[in-house]
Amino acid sequence: MGATFKEFSNQYKELLESNLRAEMQTLETPQILKDAMIYSLEAGGKRIRPLLLFATLAAFNKDPKMGLETASAIEMVHTYSLIHDDLPSMDDDDLRRGKPTNHKVFGEAAAILAGDALLTYSFQLISTIQSAQTTADTKLALIAEFAKAAGAEGMVGGQVADMQGEEKQLNLEELEYIHVHKTGKLLAYSVIAGALLAEADDSLIDKLRAFSYHLGLAFQIRDDILDLEGTEEMIGKPVGSDEDNHKSTYPSLLSMEGAKNALEEHISAAKKYLRETALNTAYLEDITDLIAVRDN
Amino acid sequence: MGATFKEFSNQYKELLESNLRAEMQTLETPQILKDAMIYSLEAGGKRIRPLLLFATLAAFNKDPKMGLETASAIEMVHTYSLIHDDLPSMDDDDLRRGKPTNHKVFGEAAAILAGDALLTYSFQLISTIQSAQTTADTKLALIAEFAKAAGAEGMVGGQVADMQGEEKQLNLEELEYIHVHKTGKLLAYSVIAGALLAEADDSLIDKLRAFSYHLGLAFQIRDDILDLEGTEEMIGKPVGSDEDNHKSTYPSLLSMEGAKNALEEHISAAKKYLRETALNTAYLEDITDLIAVRDN
């Protein structure tokens, strides 16, 4: 792995984005649906989840390209979740990454259906992985874990808990339930999917699961800190919007200093589990650092 | 197959419904989400799609039970599609089968998320089919076809076209596009999934695809006729609601007599393709007759 992380991440981000475009091109469906799907898929973003998957494959000295379908599927599910979260009956957001949200452009019905279609297509993608290196049983394991991470016991469950927790004082356990599910499960899946594609054994998968658990919480704590300490330009939404919405956050429960300590602890626990894998984890460490210090 | 169709259909409807309950019991997720999912799954209905799958397996002299997970998955996707179709931004329906729609009971956000969770869970179910009779490759084929039938190129695409076609005079080709996609693809999948589980060869699958194409159109034409000739008690909604909503229907395009002729033609074409399979199709014929004469 001679490439720097920046080169690695540019290369695979580009590969991912061109694959997403190619997949959408072939779809035979009403134009407005296609446009709505493409609009949100191409709205940018850090592509953290696909990069986690590619970096996990690199850690196993596997060709990251073998994760292309699964990485695309994960980004589709992440995108659908943003479209549905932004809806008027959910967070009612008009802007996402500085651009009008999907339902603002295409209307609420098309936005709901574009989300449904992206979610559905993600499973089609994994079920039709072409690579001869990936066995049918691995594909089935990828699908089963994906559905679990994205569904009622994962991301969707977390979104429900988040909505129920609004305007209510949560304790730390309740706050963690929300974040472990709403954002953590899909981040963790991105790592686990890489390990499944690399046919890792269970003890390695357990270590990577522990790594991604701490990574996911670090990601969320940093998000809460940024909401208070970032600038509007950095975070693409008004500073302090969580506070204005009376949302429970890590700084509100732990104080800002406590939240920063918790962030440090999760980052260092994540790195400890990474080291224990004894894999080639340079890129995964880079992503971990990126999450700890990211400013958007 | 000694059982009459009535016995067969009661037995497998019951098996399906107890499996749906059992699957929901094990879900670890916020209670409101679980309740919302169960509410719509248990709201009744004819379970036509699962019965088509069970009857297709019976036609191959296979144990219908081997289709239980797939039949449950199909019913979950059908249910999610009804929940999302009923939303205020879509058809804005307050009642479904005489009961308040999901969002009327649980709120719009929970209804959207319950639909998302049902859709996601359906793929988990198929990917974890236990039966040793079903190979990993068959499960992957089941998933790929399912996603195609349910997604942008299938049911979701049809729903988008339906919404775009409202308040607009459609021609017969446009009307057929809507129905072939919105209801036809999932009905057809119910048959094709049975054939895949039975490891049918391609020429048989083609005949069953032709059968289910005509069956799906017959189903929809009968629906349009019932909307005008049924009683409110029979159809669970006001008579003539399509006309009041200025929806294009088969009777509005073809006249009532023309629609009835088209229904006859599709039913007889469906039966012709069934006979060509030379399978044990008694129950599939019974379902076809049921669709032709059903009064709800």
Side-chain angles (χ1 to χ4, degrees):
Chain A
M1 95 169 138
T4 65
F5 176 67
K6 182 129 194 83
E7 288 163 349
F8 175 85
S9 106
N10 286 343
Q11 178 185 349
Y12 285 100
K13 209 176 145 175
E14 205 167 287
L15 185 71
L16 173 90
E17 291 177 349
S18 78
N19 190 55
L20 291 174
R21 268 192 301 277
E23 291 292 345
M24 289 299 108
Q25 289 314 325
T26 63
L27 268 193
E28 290 181 24
T29 194
Q31 194 61 39
I32 185 182
L33 181 64
K34 198 162 168 166
D35 290 344
M37 293 167 82
I38 292 173
Y39 177 81
S40 290
L41 278 176
E42 300 199 340
K46 301 177 290 295
R47 316 294 191 188
I48 285 272
R49 293 158 193 79
L51 286 175
L52 272 172
L53 193 158
F54 294 131
T56 304
L57 282 164
F60 284 93
N61 298 317
K62 297 278 182 186
D63 182 357
K65 278 198 198 69
M66 74 186 281
L68 186 55
E69 295 93 341
T70 312
S72 302
I74 294 171
E75 194 64 11
M76 285 183 188
V77 162
H78 174 57
T79 302
Y80 118 77
S81 78
L82 300 181
I83 297 174
H84 282 192
D85 281 8
D86 287 338
L87 288 168
S89 61
M90 308 252 199
D91 295 348
D92 195 15
D93 279 318
D94 294 349
L95 290 176
R96 161 78 59 190
R97 295 173 188 140
K99 292 174 67 179
T101 46
N102 198 292
H103 64 272
K104 282 281 159 191
V105 180
F106 299 97
E108 217 175 313
I112 294 171
L113 292 164
D116 293 346
L118 285 168
L119 171 58
T120 308
Y121 197 75
S122 71
F123 291 101
Q124 190 172 331
L125 262 177
I126 301 182
S127 68
T128 54
I129 290 175
Q130 293 304 318
S131 153
Q133 295 159 281
T134 306
T135 66
D137 282 324
T138 297
K139 293 177 211 171
L140 289 171
L142 285 170
I143 291 168
E145 284 265 348
F146 191 31
K148 217 169 156 144
E153 298 191 326
M155 187 180 73
V156 172
Q159 171 68 2
V160 170
D162 192 20
M163 291 184 27
Q164 288 187 301
E166 272 170 21
E167 302 278 341
K168 195 173 115 184
Q169 181 64 50
L170 302 177
N171 62 35
L172 194 60
E173 195 189 337
E174 292 167 329
L175 188 66
E176 283 207 1
Y177 176 91
I178 290 171
H179 295 310
V180 164
H181 289 79
K182 184 173 169 168
T183 51
K185 292 283 182 184
L186 199 60
L187 282 168
Y189 176 71
S190 308
V191 173
I192 301 307
L196 290 171
L197 283 161
E199 314 221 315
D201 64 34
D202 286 349
S203 89
L204 262 182
I205 288 187
D206 287 345
K207 288 180 182 119
L208 288 169
R209 224 181 266 282
F211 157 69
S212 47
Y213 169 82
H214 291 288
L215 185 78
L217 284 172
F219 184 90
Q220 190 58 48
I221 297 172
R222 180 78 191 146
D223 213 53
D224 285 356
I225 292 172
L226 272 175
D227 185 72
L228 290 166
E229 295 199 338
T231 62
E232 183 160 342
E233 198 188 348
M234 273 158 62
I235 60 179
K237 59 178 183 178
V239 175
S241 64
D242 290 341
E243 217 169 11
D244 294 346
N245 296 332
H246 307 286
K247 281 195 94 147
S248 299
T249 65
Y250 285 92
S252 77
L253 286 190
L254 300 175
S255 82
M256 181 55 86
E257 197 193 336
K260 286 183 177 173
N261 289 339
L263 174 62
E264 278 311 311
E265 280 163 27
H266 284 299
I267 291 285
S268 91
K271 288 190 177 176
K272 177 180 79 83
Y273 284 110
L274 261 195
R275 278 191 303 275
E276 282 184 19
T277 64
L279 297 168
N280 194 358
T281 56
Y283 295 150
L284 284 173
E285 281 169 57
D286 289 328
I287 295 181
T288 308
D289 286 331
L290 197 73
I291 281 177
V293 302
R294 73 198 165 89
D295 56 11
N296 63 58
Chain B
M1 85 173 143
T4 64
F5 176 67
K6 182 130 192 80
E7 288 162 350
F8 176 85
S9 105
N10 285 342
Q11 179 187 348
Y12 286 100
K13 208 175 145 175
E14 206 166 286
L15 184 71
L16 172 91
E17 290 177 350
S18 80
N19 190 56
L20 291 174
R21 269 192 301 277
E23 291 292 345
M24 289 298 107
Q25 288 314 326
T26 64
L27 268 192
E28 290 181 24
T29 195
Q31 194 62 39
I32 185 182
L33 181 64
K34 198 162 167 165
D35 290 344
M37 293 167 81
I38 292 173
Y39 177 80
S40 289
L41 278 176
E42 298 199 339
K46 300 176 289 295
R47 316 294 192 190
I48 285 273
R49 292 158 193 78
L51 286 174
L52 271 172
L53 192 158
F54 293 132
T56 304
L57 282 164
F60 283 94
N61 297 318
K62 297 277 182 188
D63 182 357
K65 278 197 199 68
M66 74 185 282
L68 186 56
E69 295 93 341
T70 313
S72 302
I74 294 171
E75 195 64 11
M76 285 183 187
V77 163
H78 174 56
T79 302
Y80 119 76
S81 77
L82 300 181
I83 296 174
H84 282 193
D85 281 7
D86 287 337
L87 288 167
S89 62
M90 306 250 201
D91 294 349
D92 195 15
D93 279 317
D94 295 348
L95 290 176
R96 160 77 61 188
R97 295 174 188 141
K99 291 175 65 180
T101 46
N102 198 292
H103 64 272
K104 282 281 159 189
V105 179
F106 299 97
E108 216 175 314
I112 293 171
L113 292 164
D116 293 347
L118 286 168
L119 171 58
T120 308
Y121 197 75
S122 71
F123 291 101
Q124 190 172 331
L125 262 177
I126 301 182
S127 68
T128 55
I129 290 174
Q130 294 303 318
S131 153
Q133 295 159 279
T134 306
T135 67
D137 281 324
T138 296
K139 292 177 210 170
L140 289 171
L142 284 169
I143 291 167
E145 284 265 347
F146 191 32
K148 217 166 157 148
E153 298 192 325
M155 187 181 72
V156 172
Q159 171 68 1
V160 171
D162 192 20
M163 290 183 28
Q164 289 186 300
E166 271 169 23
E167 302 279 341
K168 195 173 116 186
Q169 181 64 49
L170 302 177
N171 61 35
L172 195 59
E173 195 189 337
E174 292 167 329
L175 189 67
E176 283 207 2
Y177 176 91
I178 291 171
H179 294 310
V180 164
H181 290 79
K182 183 172 170 168
T183 52
K185 292 282 182 184
L186 199 60
L187 282 169
Y189 176 71
S190 308
V191 172
I192 301 307
L196 290 171
L197 283 162
E199 314 221 315
D201 65 34
D202 287 349
S203 89
L204 262 182
I205 288 186
D206 287 345
K207 287 180 183 119
L208 288 169
R209 225 181 265 282
F211 157 68
S212 47
Y213 170 83
H214 290 289
L215 185 77
L217 284 173
F219 184 89
Q220 190 58 49
I221 296 172
R222 179 78 190 147
D223 215 51
D224 286 356
I225 292 173
L226 272 174
D227 186 73
L228 289 167
E229 294 199 339
T231 63
E232 185 160 340
E233 198 188 347
M234 272 157 63
I235 60 181
K237 60 177 182 176
V239 176
S241 64
D242 290 342
E243 217 168 12
D244 294 345
N245 296 330
H246 306 286
K247 280 195 94 145
S248 297
T249 64
Y250 285 91
S252 77
L253 286 190
L254 301 176
S255 83
M256 181 54 85
E257 198 194 335
K260 287 183 177 174
N261 288 340
L263 174 62
E264 278 310 310
E265 280 163 26
H266 285 298
I267 291 284
S268 89
K271 288 190 176 177
K272 177 180 79 84
Y273 285 110
L274 262 195
R275 277 191 305 274
E276 282 184 18
T277 64
L279 296 168
N280 194 358
T281 56
Y283 295 150
L284 285 173
E285 281 169 58
D286 289 329
I287 295 181
T288 309
D289 287 331
L290 197 72
I291 281 176
V293 301
R294 74 198 164 89
D295 56 12
N296 63 58

